[in-house]
Amino acid sequence: MTGVVPLRAADARCGTKARTLGRLLRAGLAVPDGVVIPRARGTGWRHDLPPHLGALGAPTFAVRSSSAAEDGARASYAGQLRTVLHVPRAEVEDAVREVASATAADYEAALDLPAGGGVAVLVQPMLAPVAAGVAVTRHPVTGVVTTVVEAVPGLGEPLVSGRADPERWQVDRGGRARVDRARDVLSPPRAEAVARLAESVERLLGGPQDVEWALDAGGTVWTLQARPVTTGPAARPGPGARDAGTARGALLGTGTPAGPGTACGRVRVLRGLDDLPAFLPGEVLVCRATSPAWTPALARAAAVVTEVGGMLSHAAIVARELGLPAVTGLARARDLPDGALVRVDGSAGTVRTVVTS
Amino acid sequence: MSAAPALLPVLHALRVRGVADAGAVAARARLPRAAVEDLLLDAEAAGLVARVPFAGPQDWSLTERGTTHGEALLASELEALGARPVVRDVLDGFGPLNDLVTGACTRWQLTELGLAGPPAAVADVLRDLTRAAGGLAATEARLADRLPRFAGYHARFVTALDLARDDTAWIAGIDRDSAHRVWFELHEDLLATLGARR
């Protein structure tokens, strides 16, 4: 068995990300053609890799993890460093090892994967995009059938990691683009081309999709990643949406189930406005109650837990608009251990530790 | 700078909006934008306002210090206008009206999520919200009689309801001046005016 698989031949061993991209590549979509190392924490791939890199013919590479269960948008924050960009050919081997080891215990625990399981790593030629971003084929808040395109200049990483201030378009199914927030990144025909790509991905894979894309100087729109969006309004659920039934871990508290869905993340207790800069995207925001100033942080949270309020509280209403699992009225929520990895089940109203052994 | 008469409306605009750029603060405070930009920079230097993580690059929010300072200015205003009893009275009676609005928004959200026991009809949700608008009109008139800055919530709430008839995102959307957002702002305004926190 070879330790390196061409992307267009990627199968279940190669992780969801690579398998989906392989499928899109075979269907004729523009996907940077690369290779997958299904068991990157082993060593069986080291001698096979250099000839493949030579055949790909690129000066630099993007090295990303492709774990089996990382298709949830919020799961990307559970693991720390899982992507290394602009890697020269001579350093790809080290980058693969780095990504493989970073995608380790915490992450598997967060997603209820068996510890020590295979970590697949994807290596693709590095693009030099003029713009990049995400395109979602449903409105993320209202669920309406329309494609929302977010774009930033250059590489899309700041957007995907939640740090950028993107341009935003809505493209209806008639192909008409309307800019919601202009930042001088895309023209209407370019936004429409991105939306057409996302709609092609939806037709190929079935069901609403969240597509990471990049536009090069020649006008080609490349697909970097495609993930399913669960149907229904306000639904960009966290990684735990499908493991909601596996309630392992100690119960830390029970409150009111106020926003449906399950998500994992690290606890960040915010005692006031001055704590907001300490909050990181993908964390579980824990506070007494939310006021209007908290909405931008909520929009980046994995889940929200409040001490006061119920099903009708303002925090609950905002969380549901954001598609965020929410537990309200959890007594002494601010005593939850800061930094602990927890699973918030907004349908059951529980907060549990995530087992990491 | 605490003597600047325009500081109160600027800090208060940020208190109720949560996060806003200079243009939105100016509109809410009914002040010229250029003056608001200067005030915001002075307030930043004094540690009263800060740039907000995760919002737009031009957006501002209050610091804890700015929140406390704003509450002190609001208390002075309240005493000067003799308005404390009426605001206290309105907040004491706010619960049922608040429940009507948050209940209607919640029923609609759960219907959209497919989680409502019996699904709510949008007409019924809007009927409840319209009933709340009637209560809001009376409440706002009492408040604005003493504190003119409370004027405007009813008009914005009704505008959101009108738009919601064609696009239900105006019920509870967070990306627009939806009915829930206007109501959330009013609730924050009442709490802030009395120096209370959630």
Side-chain angles (χ1 to χ4, degrees):
Chain A
M1 181 194 93
T2 174
V4 180
V5 179
L7 180 55
R8 63 178 64 239
D11 57 16
R13 292 176 304 146
C14 296
T16 309
K17 182 189 291 178
R19 186 167 50 146
T20 303
L21 287 176
R23 209 173 143 190
L24 297 175
L25 191 59
R26 291 195 298 277
L29 266 63
V31 175
D33 199 359
V35 294
V36 190
I37 299 151
R39 300 196 69 84
R41 282 155 87 183
T43 53
W45 49 271
R46 289 176 50 200
H47 297 296
D48 295 327
L49 186 61
H52 279 282
L53 296 182
L56 292 173
T60 58
F61 294 86
V63 180
R64 305 168 191 271
S65 68
S66 176
S67 295
E70 75 179 300
D71 38 63
R74 293 195 182 94
S76 53
Y77 302 117
Q80 295 293 309
L81 184 68
R82 300 175 305 95
T83 297
V84 188
L85 301 176
H86 306 289
V87 183
R89 190 178 305 178
E91 294 168 23
V92 170
E93 185 183 324
D94 285 345
V96 170
R97 264 201 285 275
E98 182 184 340
V99 168
S101 64
T103 314
D106 267 6
Y107 187 64
E108 289 166 346
L111 295 166
D112 270 353
L113 299 179
V119 173
V121 172
L122 171 62
V123 180
Q124 291 171 290
M126 193 71 214
L127 296 177
V130 294
V134 296
V136 183
T137 61
R138 290 292 181 282
H139 192 285
V141 174
T142 63
V144 167
V145 179
T146 184
T147 298
V148 178
V149 175
E150 288 194 341
V152 294
L155 218 54
E157 287 299 320
L159 174 56
V160 175
S161 58
R163 289 196 304 272
D165 172 40
E167 180 167 276
R168 184 175 300 133
W169 295 77
Q170 279 195 51
V171 184
D172 65 27
R173 282 299 186 267
R176 283 175 301 274
R178 172 170 68 81
V179 69
D180 281 345
R181 188 162 63 167
R183 294 287 185 271
D184 209 20
V185 181
L186 297 178
S187 60
R190 292 256 155 113
E192 287 157 12
V194 172
R196 275 197 304 278
L197 166 75
E199 287 155 25
S200 307
V201 172
E202 175 174 315
R203 278 193 298 277
L204 281 165
L205 301 178
Q209 297 291 318
D210 180 336
V211 176
E212 278 177 33
W213 57 271
L215 173 73
D216 70 18
T220 300
V221 187
W222 299 83
T223 301
L224 302 182
Q225 177 159 207
R227 296 176 286 215
V229 176
T230 305
T231 49
R236 283 177 84 178
R242 67 205 118 89
D243 61 24
T246 59
R248 295 193 290 136
L251 183 65
L252 296 176
T254 303
T256 304
T262 301
C264 295
R266 294 198 180 281
V267 168
R268 178 65 63 180
V269 178
L270 300 183
R271 294 177 194 280
L273 289 170
D274 295 347
D275 289 345
L276 274 178
F279 174 80
L280 297 173
E283 291 183 325
V284 172
L285 195 160
V286 178
C287 60
R288 186 182 136 75
T290 65
S291 68
W294 298 68
T295 304
L298 283 173
R300 304 288 184 207
V304 59
V305 179
T306 67
E307 262 177 32
V308 300
M311 186 79 189
L312 305 186
S313 67
H314 296 298
I317 292 173
V318 171
R320 287 192 295 265
E321 284 299 313
L322 290 165
L324 210 59
V327 175
T328 53
L330 190 139
R332 296 192 302 281
R334 285 175 295 174
D335 292 342
L336 287 171
D338 226 7
L341 194 58
V342 298
R343 174 180 291 106
V344 178
D345 186 338
S347 303
T350 57
V351 178
R352 289 176 183 276
T353 56
V354 172
V355 179
T356 54
S357 60
Chain B
M1 65 169 300
S2 59
L7 184 60
L8 170 58
V10 166
L11 294 182
H12 193 60
L14 285 175
R15 173 72 188 261
V16 298
R17 296 294 290 181
V19 173
D21 63 16
V25 171
R28 189 70 175 63
R30 294 168 193 155
L31 290 169
R33 182 178 172 129
V36 166
E37 284 174 350
D38 288 347
L39 278 162
L40 285 168
L41 292 175
D42 289 349
E44 183 187 31
L48 301 175
V49 304
R51 305 275 183 186
V52 200
F54 316 120
Q58 306 303 321
D59 283 338
W60 297 92
S61 175
L62 292 181
T63 58
E64 284 297 327
R65 189 172 171 188
T67 306
T68 305
H69 189 64
E71 285 172 354
L73 295 177
L74 286 164
S76 305
E77 178 199 52
L78 207 57
E79 299 313 325
L81 297 172
R84 185 176 294 276
V86 65
V87 181
R88 178 82 263 164
D89 197 45
V90 164
L91 190 59
D92 285 346
F94 193 64
L97 210 51
N98 191 47
D99 288 349
L100 186 61
V101 171
T102 55
C105 291
T106 296
R107 285 205 315 286
W108 180 246
Q109 286 182 313
L110 295 183
T111 298
E112 285 198 304
L113 289 166
L115 298 173
V122 67
D124 292 341
V125 170
L126 291 175
R127 192 199 54 222
D128 279 2
L129 292 174
T130 303
R131 197 182 305 153
L136 172 58
T139 300
E140 180 177 307
R142 285 182 66 202
L143 288 166
D145 187 44
R146 289 276 179 168
L147 278 168
R149 61 177 176 75
F150 270 101
Y153 284 109
H154 177 255
R156 289 167 57 205
F157 192 75
V158 168
T159 299
L161 295 187
D162 285 345
L163 291 164
R165 283 172 224 288
D166 289 326
D167 179 356
T168 52
W170 286 93
I171 293 175
I174 53 169
D175 59 343
R176 60 191 75 205
D177 224 20
S178 67
H180 176 257
R181 183 167 169 169
V182 174
W183 197 265
F184 194 10
E185 216 177 288
L186 167 66
H187 198 174
E188 186 74 10
D189 201 346
L190 291 169
L191 291 169
T193 301
L194 289 171
R197 307 274 178 104
R198 285 173 194 280

